[in-house]
Amino acid sequence: ETPTRSPMKALFGLLLLVVGASALKTAPAPALRLRGGMDKTPPEAYQAFLATGVRQATMPTTQTVLQALLAGGFVALGAALAMTVGANVPGIKSSNPGLQKILLGAFGLPWALLMVLLTGGQLFTGNTATITTALLEGQVTLEQMLKNLVLSYFGNFAGGLTVVYLLGAAGLTTPGAAAVAVAKTSLPFMQALIRGFLCNWMVCIAIWQAYCATTVAGKYISVFFTISSFVALGFEHSVANMAMIPLGMLNGADISVAKFLTSNLIPVTIGNMLAGSIVVGTAYYYIHGSGKKSSA
């Protein structure tokens, strides 16, 4: 190395050091912290959660139906991806079941929820929590809440079934879905209900965490780990099952419509509703909302 290049390297290194020190000095340090930084604190996230509930419940009927249809379609696309990847690796499942569960959770439903959140979609499971807070805060009526839950539920169902039909019409098969559908419809009623309860607790917290973040990357990280975890744990999500089980039926699972509804969708829906409305919507109303004043 020539002597003339060493001073140049030293000068370049010094320049980088100065620039780096300047950046550290001028960077807004609070942005690195939860409180006072770019991300929302829990009370601020509650206000965003509440505002979402008000918006969802007061959205005009036509927009609500369209947003519910699209949200159901997004979840169905995510479910199809999960069935195509994570549910379709028998070799990994037999040799490393933990890894197979990670794959099942990681590919599909996390980005489906992100699409719903970033488009302002009407997702029944999330609405059970957000609109409950709006109801308790007196910003929406019980009639508005019930109307939204009915429209979002059946809109999600119709959107999901439409995507399942389109996948079938396109000749795209998801072989792993058949075994998943059989397993889901073989659960005892109370087990399905409890798995639905645990699932929507995590889903609504994932939505809460997404409201804490102010960037798309932050929202995705908030959603990814929580949603992939509930899938890996074997919990039950009613809107996802509106697509997963019909996908299984389409791919050869011997399941009747009655069994689909009574052995899975009904108990899972009950569990989803209880979790969203009680352990998230009502609980945080008393922790961060107006309810903490009345309970003081």
Side-chain angles (χ1 to χ4, degrees), residues 60-111:
T61 300
T62 301
Q63 292 180 17
T64 298
V65 171
L66 287 173
Q67 285 280 40
L69 288 168
L70 292 168
F74 292 150
V75 174
L77 288 170
L81 178 60
M83 296 299 96
T84 302
V85 180
N88 199 28
V89 284
I92 295 176
K93 185 176 181 179
S94 61
S95 63
N96 193 338
L99 177 59
Q100 184 267 336
K101 290 182 179 181
I102 291 174
L103 292 173
L104 184 65
F107 290 93
L109 292 183
W111 67 264

Side-chain angles (χ1 to χ4, degrees), residues 177-182 185 245-256:
V180 171
V182 170
T185 53
I245 295 175
L247 277 171
M249 296 163 69
L250 190 66
N251 284 273
D254 186 16
I255 301 169
S256 66

Side-chain angles (χ1 to χ4, degrees), residues 134-149:
L135 177 69
L136 294 173
E137 293 284 0
Q139 297 192 27
V140 303
T141 66
L142 180 61
E143 180 183 358
Q144 288 174 314
M145 177 179 179
L146 294 176
K147 175 185 176 183
N148 175 276
L149 293 181

Side-chain angles (χ1 to χ4, degrees), residues 51-268:
T52 298
V54 174
R55 182 180 69 249
Q56 301 292 70
T58 57
M59 187 178 291
T61 300
T62 301
Q63 292 180 17
T64 298
V65 171
L66 287 173
Q67 285 280 40
L69 288 168
L70 292 168
F74 292 150
V75 174
L77 288 170
L81 178 60
M83 296 299 96
T84 302
V85 180
N88 199 28
V89 284
I92 295 176
K93 185 176 181 179
S94 61
S95 63
N96 193 338
L99 177 59
Q100 184 267 336
K101 290 182 179 181
I102 291 174
L103 292 173
L104 184 65
F107 290 93
L109 292 183
W111 67 264
L113 180 58
L114 187 69
M115 287 193 290
V116 173
L117 291 174
L118 295 182
T119 58
Q122 291 276 1
L123 185 64
F124 166 77
T125 46
N127 288 356
T128 62
T130 58
I131 300 179
T132 294
T133 62
L135 177 69
L136 294 173
E137 293 284 0
Q139 297 192 27
V140 303
T141 66
L142 180 61
E143 180 183 358
Q144 288 174 314
M145 177 179 179
L146 294 176
K147 175 185 176 183
N148 175 276
L149 293 181
V150 169
L151 290 177
S152 61
Y153 186 83
F154 289 103
N156 290 165
F157 205 170
L161 289 177
T162 300
V163 168
V164 170
Y165 170 80
L166 291 174
L167 290 169
L172 298 172
T173 60
T174 50
V180 171
V182 170
K184 284 178 174 291
T185 53
S186 299
L187 294 170
F189 189 94
M190 282 305 300
Q191 283 190 18
L193 189 152
I194 293 170
R195 291 189 189 198
F197 182 94
L198 293 170
C199 172
N200 206 36
W201 187 6
M202 295 186 73
V203 170
C204 292
I205 291 301
I207 294 171
W208 177 290
Q209 291 172 166
Y211 287 135
C212 290
T214 55
T215 65
V216 173
K219 291 179 186 297
Y220 186 70
I221 292 171
S222 300
V223 164
F224 177 81
F225 289 103
T226 310
I227 299 302
S228 61
S229 296
F230 100 66
V231 178
L233 285 165
F235 297 161
E236 297 286 327
H237 188 265
S238 58
V239 180
N241 288 353
M242 291 172 183
M244 282 187 182
I245 295 175
L247 277 171
M249 296 163 69
L250 190 66
N251 284 273
D254 186 16
I255 301 169
S256 66
V257 173
K259 186 172 180 61
F260 164 37
L261 297 177
T262 59
S263 297
N264 184 275
L265 194 59
I266 290 174
V268 169

